[in-house]
Amino acid sequence: MSIQQGKTHTAAPKYGRLDADPADVDQAIGRSCDYLFSVQHPEGYWNGELESDAMLVADYIFLHTLLESGDRGRMERALRRMMLMQQEDGSWNIYPGAPGNISQTVKCYSAAKMMGVSADDPRLTKAREWALAHGGAVACNTFTKMYLCALGMYDYDAVPAVPPEIVLFPNWFYFNLYEISSWSRGILVPLSILYAKKPFKKLPPEQGIDELYVGGREKAKLRLRFDRKKWISWRNFFIVTDRLAHWAEAVHLRPLRRMALKKAEKWMLDRFEMTDGLHAIYPAMLNAIIALRCLGYSEDDPQVIRARDEFEKLGIESGPTEDCADPTFRMVPCMSPVWDTAQAITALGDAGISRTDPRMVKAVDWMIAKEIRHKGDWAVKVPNVEPGGWSFEFHNEFYPDTDDTAQVLLALSKVDHPREEHQHQVAQRAIDWEFAMQCKNGGWGSFDKDNTKMIFQYIPFADHNAMLDPPTVDITGRMLEMFAAYGHTQDDKRIKKAIEFIYKEQESDGSWFGRWGVNYIYGTFLVLRGLEAIGVDHLEPQVQQAAEWIRMVQNGDGGWGESCGTYDDPNTRGEGESTPSQTAWALMALLSAGDDRSDSVAKGVRWLLEHQQAEGSWDESTRVGGFKQAIITGTGFPKVYYLAYTLYRQYFPLMALTAYKRAMDRAAEAGAGG
């Protein structure tokens, strides 16, 4: 059978078995290419929306309430969207289909009250009942509590201390700023200013959330609790340190505070330069705006204006939809043009688009212009290498990352640029930089080298689960694929070390954990693709065990899917509703493992063909409580924050169908030769 635009018809299988008709595969690839080009920006890049949870609009309301700023109409539209995302049980969650999340629910509840929604509103009544049943405001994470403090809803002396003095630790000191992840630096430095200055805006009683404290606010036990089962532990050490910091705060024993604030301010302002806001990510940008105002910058100061403008650019207005007759407003966590452009070019190049196609050349022109030639935070640990790489966003000069850089290099290898020598120089700089960023254990982290001091996860304010940026197999797998594209082989000791790292990280069932995509399907796909590219034999036991795991977790409908819940419960790995992006990853994993003959592959290809829409795109959404949301296949902070890359559903299926077509063509040629 073969599938064309959702209909089936009988066809003679070209390859001697019941696969999809090659003509259908070709047509699907053609439609997919046409669709991708149709969403290319006139300047040459691609930039898909990053969809997220309700936290962003709740925080948007908090920011403008605290600073008495913003467009009231826009805030009303943000509230409308936030309430659409409430679950039937009254809670808000961090991905569609997930159980309620206490920090998310408290944030959204408080945002609704700031906007004048009555506590007697049935929606808030349900939210309050759910929150109280799950620990109330005290159970929230540090970032949520800190924001609540600024509005008098929580007590500053009860949140984990984030003293600005941390910026004074020298780089050689064990606990220095550059031993935590780059995104945590961007979030925590301005947050430390907020903690030091302790902004406070008293809201009317009817806008407070005292009712979210179990037993009442006066009786709530707000302080961090010691681990009484294990008195000698890093957790208890840091709790003692935290209490000492609070004591010093209370008695005004802060001899270095002025110096620390000056350095934190300078650190932050320096990183405003050549970026789309601090670190070009939502939480850092929001905290930076508050920090500037806490430091005395006026509303019309150029730094505040610029910070606000960059922040508001993350907003998207939406007109009436089938879910809501009134317009809504949402925020995105950041922009992804470099990432999306590199992935799109790679997919189109693999699909056979000419290496000199003007649209491809224009995209490469755009990417080359985005090369980062400035030494950023990464240079603290890697000082003696020439900068050359790419960030995720439009502008983020201090934070190129290894994953984006590897994908850009893969994309550059698909296009013949008229300035061949210049492109070669750009690529070689980036390759040298990538090798310099390799960690001691052979893998690669995303923004920093050897960012692996596990002790930091016990710091009280580290409950956002992202204090570190350790090496991961998904990035390392992409590295192998990229290095292979530029002629590197297993003879290189650095490559051998990377392969050893990957093998050590394999799970007992054959899969690999996915740090930056959901989840084990993502990690396994990138590892197998990298191992194949670098020349590892398909028959290696690690490869075949991984392929068998992929086949075992295929859904009955022929596709693959995996929920974000697998980060909380690894025993559910590989389980979830079939999605185009994850089905594509699984197919590419199998094809990279040498499997072009199994029913699993044939069924997976049929699933992609059946679900392609007439214009060549794929849909990756679900309805929860009557509200249509994107299915999450991207990871921000495991267990804490996830996001949907809306172009994943477009370029990854194209890559998978192209890989399948090449495999079938090779099989046909081998059969003809035999």
Side-chain angles (χ1 to χ4, degrees):
M1 304 290 287
S2 72
I3 302 93
Q4 185 172 7
Q5 296 183 354
K7 298 181 180 180
T8 61
H9 63 273
T10 303
K14 173 181 176 182
Y15 303 122
R17 58 192 180 91
L18 294 177
D19 290 301
D21 189 324
D24 288 346
V25 176
D26 287 341
Q27 290 172 16
I29 290 172
R31 288 196 299 271
S32 179
C33 290
D34 290 343
Y35 178 80
L36 265 183
F37 278 127
S38 75
V39 295
Q40 183 180 19
H41 191 275
E43 291 183 20
Y45 63 83
W46 282 263
N47 183 37
E49 180 182 344
L50 301 179
E51 294 191 34
S52 186
D53 54 39
M55 175 190 70
L56 301 188
V57 288
D59 283 347
Y60 184 85
I61 291 170
F62 153 74
L63 172 72
H64 287 302
T65 300
L66 174 65
L67 300 183
E68 300 180 351
S69 57
D71 181 314
R72 181 70 187 186
R74 175 170 278 192
M75 292 166 69
E76 293 283 359
R77 294 189 290 277
L79 172 67
R80 189 175 297 133
R81 178 175 176 85
M82 187 186 81
M83 298 308 295
L84 284 171
M85 300 178 79
Q86 186 179 21
Q87 299 195 103
E88 287 295 320
D89 64 4
S91 68
W92 280 264
N93 57 18
I94 58 176
Y95 61 89
N101 177 273
I102 185 62
S103 295
Q104 196 86 319
T105 301
V106 170
K107 272 192 177 185
C108 292
Y109 182 95
S110 61
K113 293 202 72 179
M114 290 176 213
M115 293 299 294
V117 180
S118 169
D120 296 328
D121 186 294
R123 298 169 297 177
L124 292 199
T125 298
K126 290 177 71 174
R128 181 169 60 253
E129 291 172 352
W130 187 94
L132 290 172
H134 291 81
V138 177
C140 293
N141 61 30
T142 298
F143 294 168
T144 301
K145 290 175 180 176
M146 194 75 78
Y147 294 164
L148 295 177
C149 286
L151 293 169
M153 298 176 179
Y154 210 85
D155 299 332
Y156 276 112
D157 63 358
V159 296
V162 190
E165 284 79 5
I166 58 177
V167 303
L168 298 178
F169 295 153
N171 293 342
W172 52 261
F173 186 61
Y174 191 87
F175 295 103
N176 76 76
L177 194 61
Y178 297 94
E179 294 295 346
I180 64 176
S181 62
S182 62
W183 54 85
S184 290
R185 292 195 292 274
I187 294 169
L188 291 171
V189 170
L191 193 68
S192 74
I193 296 172
L194 188 157
Y195 174 79
K197 292 293 187 178
K198 295 179 174 53
F200 178 79
K201 175 181 171 58
K202 183 66 174 177
L203 294 177
E206 64 271 15
Q207 293 184 12
I209 61 165
D210 284 3
E211 65 272 21
L212 291 190
Y213 288 86
V214 178
R217 184 166 177 177
E218 295 302 320
K219 296 181 181 179
K221 296 179 180 179
L222 304 182
R223 287 292 183 94
L224 295 167
R225 299 182 185 181
F226 288 102
D227 182 353
R228 298 183 181 276
K229 294 180 180 179
K230 192 176 181 182
W231 279 103
I232 300 177
S233 65
W234 281 116
R235 172 178 169 77
N236 286 347
F237 168 79
F238 282 119
I239 289 177
V240 170
T241 304
D242 180 77
R243 293 197 175 177
L244 288 173
H246 276 292
W247 172 81
E249 199 80 14
V251 300
H252 303 286
L253 186 61
R254 302 168 299 194
L256 301 177
R257 178 58 53 88
R258 182 175 295 181
M259 183 190 306
L261 284 173
K262 281 292 183 184
K263 187 168 183 179
E265 177 184 4
K266 183 179 187 306
W267 187 95
M268 187 173 67
L269 292 176
D270 285 346
R271 283 154 186 78
F272 280 4
E273 300 303 319
M274 303 176 288
T275 67
D276 299 326
L278 184 59
H279 212 308
I281 57 173
Y282 183 102
M285 295 163 71
L286 181 147
N287 288 350
I289 294 170
I290 300 173
L292 287 174
R293 297 291 284 122
C294 286
L295 289 169
Y297 287 76
S298 65
E299 277 292 322
D300 57 359
D301 187 282
Q303 294 287 13
V304 174
I305 292 172
R306 180 171 63 162
R308 280 195 187 281
D309 287 347
E310 296 293 353
F311 182 73
E312 294 291 342
K313 285 178 185 177
L314 299 178
I316 298 176
E317 297 279 4
S318 178
T321 66
E322 58 183 311
D323 297 321
C324 184
D326 297 309
T328 60
F329 173 78
R330 62 189 182 275
M331 295 289 282
V332 297
C334 61
M335 303 291 186
S336 58
V338 173
W339 181 247
D340 283 333
T341 302
Q343 294 283 5
I345 293 173
T346 302
L348 291 165
D350 285 347
I353 300 299
S354 170
R355 297 178 64 88
T356 58
D357 186 294
R359 296 167 296 184
M360 302 283 275
V361 173
K362 190 170 188 178
V364 167
D365 272 337
W366 183 87
M367 284 199 309
I368 289 177
K370 294 297 178 184
E371 182 197 15
I372 291 175
R373 301 289 294 126
H374 171 266
K375 284 196 173 185
D377 284 7
W378 57 269
V380 170
K381 288 190 173 183
V382 190
N384 299 318
V385 64
E386 187 177 3
W390 285 265
S391 66
F392 186 75
E393 304 87 359
F394 284 104
H395 305 99
N396 196 0
E397 290 285 313
F398 279 84
Y399 300 105
D401 69 272
T402 61
D403 210 12
D404 275 278
T405 299
Q407 192 60 52
V408 168
L409 286 166
L410 280 168
L412 294 181
S413 72
K414 308 294 180 183
V415 179
D416 292 333
H417 194 273
R419 296 172 62 194
E420 181 181 355
E421 181 61 27
H422 178 59
Q423 179 171 326
H424 172 75
Q425 291 172 354
V426 168
Q428 192 55 55
R429 273 196 299 268
I431 290 169
D432 292 342
W433 183 76
E434 294 279 44
F435 272 128
M437 293 291 288
Q438 186 175 23
C439 297
K440 292 176 183 177
N441 64 5
W444 277 265
S446 52
F447 292 90
D448 288 296
K449 181 174 182 175
D450 295 321
N451 195 264
T452 56
K453 291 182 177 176
M454 298 304 293
I455 187 176
F456 285 97
Q457 67 184 326
Y458 298 106
I459 295 176
F461 58 71
D463 51 7
H464 63 301
N465 198 36
M467 282 292 282
L468 298 176
D469 180 11
T472 63
V473 294
D474 42 7
I475 296 179
T476 305
R478 182 172 280 112
M479 287 291 176
L480 293 180
E481 184 180 359
M482 179 274 291
F483 287 130
Y486 286 86
H488 294 273
T489 69
Q490 295 181 60
D491 293 333
D492 190 313
K493 291 181 180 179
R494 298 166 294 185
I495 300 296
K496 284 183 179 179
K497 196 170 185 180
I499 295 173
E500 290 170 1
F501 165 74
I502 282 173
Y503 285 165
K504 288 177 183 176
E505 293 294 311
Q506 189 171 24
E507 304 288 334
S508 59
D509 60 7
S511 65
W512 277 277
F513 176 83
R515 166 60 181 86
W516 294 101
V518 183
N519 176 349
Y520 293 90
I521 295 176
Y522 183 77
T524 305
F525 136 66
L526 283 171
V527 165
L528 292 182
R529 196 166 166 96
L531 292 177
E532 179 196 31
I534 208 67
V536 171
D537 195 298
H538 294 156
L539 299 179
E540 287 292 327
Q542 294 93 335
V543 173
Q544 287 307 308
Q545 188 184 9
E548 182 59 23
W549 178 81
I550 290 287
R551 288 188 287 265
M552 286 176 60
V553 298
Q554 186 173 23
N555 288 333
D557 62 5
W560 281 266
E562 190 170 7
S563 165
C564 302
T566 58
Y567 287 103
D568 298 287
D569 183 6
N571 292 321
T572 63
R573 68 187 67 172
E575 296 179 12
E577 177 184 353
S578 295
T579 68
S581 56
Q582 290 166 322
T583 297
W585 297 342
L587 280 171
M588 285 189 279
L590 290 177
L591 292 166
S592 294
D595 178 5
D596 57 7
R597 307 297 300 171
S598 71
D599 286 341
S600 287
V601 171
K603 290 176 181 177
V605 170
R606 290 192 187 110
W607 191 95
L608 284 181
L609 295 179
E610 288 171 349
H611 288 80
Q612 188 181 30
Q613 300 182 85
E615 81 280 12
S617 67
W618 281 266
D619 180 53
E620 196 165 88
S621 61
T622 186
R623 283 197 171 274
V624 180
F627 182 57
K628 187 176 181 180
Q629 300 178 63
I631 298 174
I632 301 292
T633 63
T635 308
F637 306 154
K639 303 181 182 180
V640 174
Y641 181 72
Y642 303 100
L643 62 165
Y645 295 73
T646 56
L647 284 183
Y648 272 17
R649 67 197 70 165
Q650 314 306 344
Y651 44 66
F652 282 122
L654 174 57
M655 289 181 189
L657 291 176
T658 299
Y660 174 76
K661 173 179 167 56
R662 287 200 306 266
M664 294 300 97
D665 287 344
R666 287 194 300 269
E669 290 171 6

